[in-house]
Amino acid sequence: MQNYRIFINHSTIFIGDQKFVAEQAPSAHHQSTENMAAVVNELLNNSDNKGRSIAFVTDHGMDVFKVLRKNFKVIKAAGGIVFNSQGQLLLIKRLGMWDLPKGKIEKGEDQRLAALREVHEECGLNFLGILKKVEDTYHVYFLKGRWILKKTAWYKMVAWGNDEDVTPQLEEDITEVRWVDKAFLKQPDFETYDSLKSLIAKIEFPKPTKK
């Protein structure tokens, strides 16, 4: 069974079965899949729709998602949820918002290798290992005159060696790289992107392996 959560203009579309929608979006406004084009168009073009949750309940989530993605150019990306030996999470600050390292998958590139490469390029870390695939996220943004749907594959990673030697990739608008603990994510002034909030909220911090 395929279920999807897509972030569009500070609103969220849920596509999936009854159980998924009930658990993830109990207060979402239900819509018929026949109205999908109109719903998507409204979310893209009406800024007053911020914060809305809309659900398409279906047992054929993948088929419905394929219809939705026809409205966009699709870009595939990969990124890392990276921990060090102290059990701290790696964050970057991009355009004033806290983010996780990620980037576009190059043509013909394996998405696992793309995730490792992007963490290395954006943060300067050389010794990384993938522990497992976490999930995919989907968000929509406007770029060069068209709407883009980005699918990002997230991998849990561990950093070995000198994890203090991190360097922000300034040409990608990254101004800071920081290792943080769980309490950092709960601070009132912690700001991240809508598409990452649910992912970050589910992150399980490991126990330190080194003091």
Side-chain angles (χ1 to χ4, degrees):
M1 184 68 64
Q2 291 290 325
N3 300 309
Y4 302 87
R5 181 199 310 256
I6 305 104
F7 295 90
I8 301 178
N9 254 354
H10 301 288
S11 292
T12 313
I13 287 179
F14 296 86
I15 301 174
D17 59 24
Q18 187 67 52
K19 181 181 178 181
F20 169 75
V21 172
E23 290 176 350
Q24 300 296 322
S27 61
H29 179 65
H30 288 220
Q31 284 277 4
S32 166
T33 55
E34 295 177 357
N35 298 332
M36 177 171 286
V39 170
V40 170
N41 185 65
E42 183 182 1
L43 292 181
L44 292 176
N45 296 292
N46 190 342
S47 60
D48 294 333
N49 284 317
K50 289 184 178 180
R52 290 186 65 190
S53 292
I54 296 172
F56 295 96
V57 179
T58 175
D59 290 328
H60 305 283
M62 183 180 292
D63 294 334
V64 175
F65 177 73
K66 287 179 179 179
V67 174
L68 180 142
R69 74 182 185 186
K70 289 179 181 179
N71 295 277
F72 309 100
K73 176 183 178 181
V74 178
I75 289 179
K76 294 183 179 180
I81 301 170
V82 188
F83 293 96
N84 62 13
S85 57
Q86 286 78 40
Q88 295 172 307
L89 173 69
L90 183 70
L91 291 181
I92 62 175
K93 182 168 273 191
R94 193 196 312 262
L95 301 174
M97 300 280 279
W98 289 108
D99 199 354
L100 296 169
K102 65 181 182 302
K104 184 179 177 182
I105 299 172
E106 296 178 356
K107 186 176 181 179
E109 185 179 25
D110 177 82
Q111 67 180 22
R112 290 166 59 93
L113 295 179
L116 292 168
R117 174 182 56 76
E118 286 295 337
V119 174
H120 164 69
E121 291 177 354
E122 295 194 343
C123 305
L125 287 172
N126 292 306
F127 301 101
L128 296 162
I130 289 180
L131 300 178
K132 66 177 182 178
K133 171 77 175 290
V134 177
E135 66 177 75
D136 296 326
T137 60
Y138 301 85
H139 75 279
V140 171
Y141 60 96
F142 194 73
L143 179 68
K144 296 181 179 179
R146 68 183 306 177
W147 289 100
I148 308 295
L149 172 63
K150 178 178 281 188
K151 174 186 177 182
T152 304
W154 293 102
Y155 291 90
K156 183 178 180 180
M157 301 181 187
V158 60
W160 295 310
N162 185 9
D163 54 41
E164 295 181 1
D165 188 18
V166 291
T167 305
Q169 190 180 20
L170 299 178
E171 58 268 33
E172 290 293 326
D173 300 311
I174 301 170
T175 54
E176 185 177 354
V177 179
R178 186 187 299 187
W179 295 102
V180 305
D181 56 21
K182 192 171 185 178
F184 183 86
L185 306 180
K186 298 182 181 299
Q187 295 179 4
D189 59 349
F190 175 74
E191 290 188 278
T192 189
Y193 297 95
D194 290 343
S195 58
L196 290 181
K197 287 179 180 178
S198 62
L199 177 66
I200 289 176
K202 292 183 291 187
I203 289 176
E204 296 182 2
F205 281 68
K207 293 181 178 179
T209 58
K210 183 175 68 175
K211 297 289 185 179

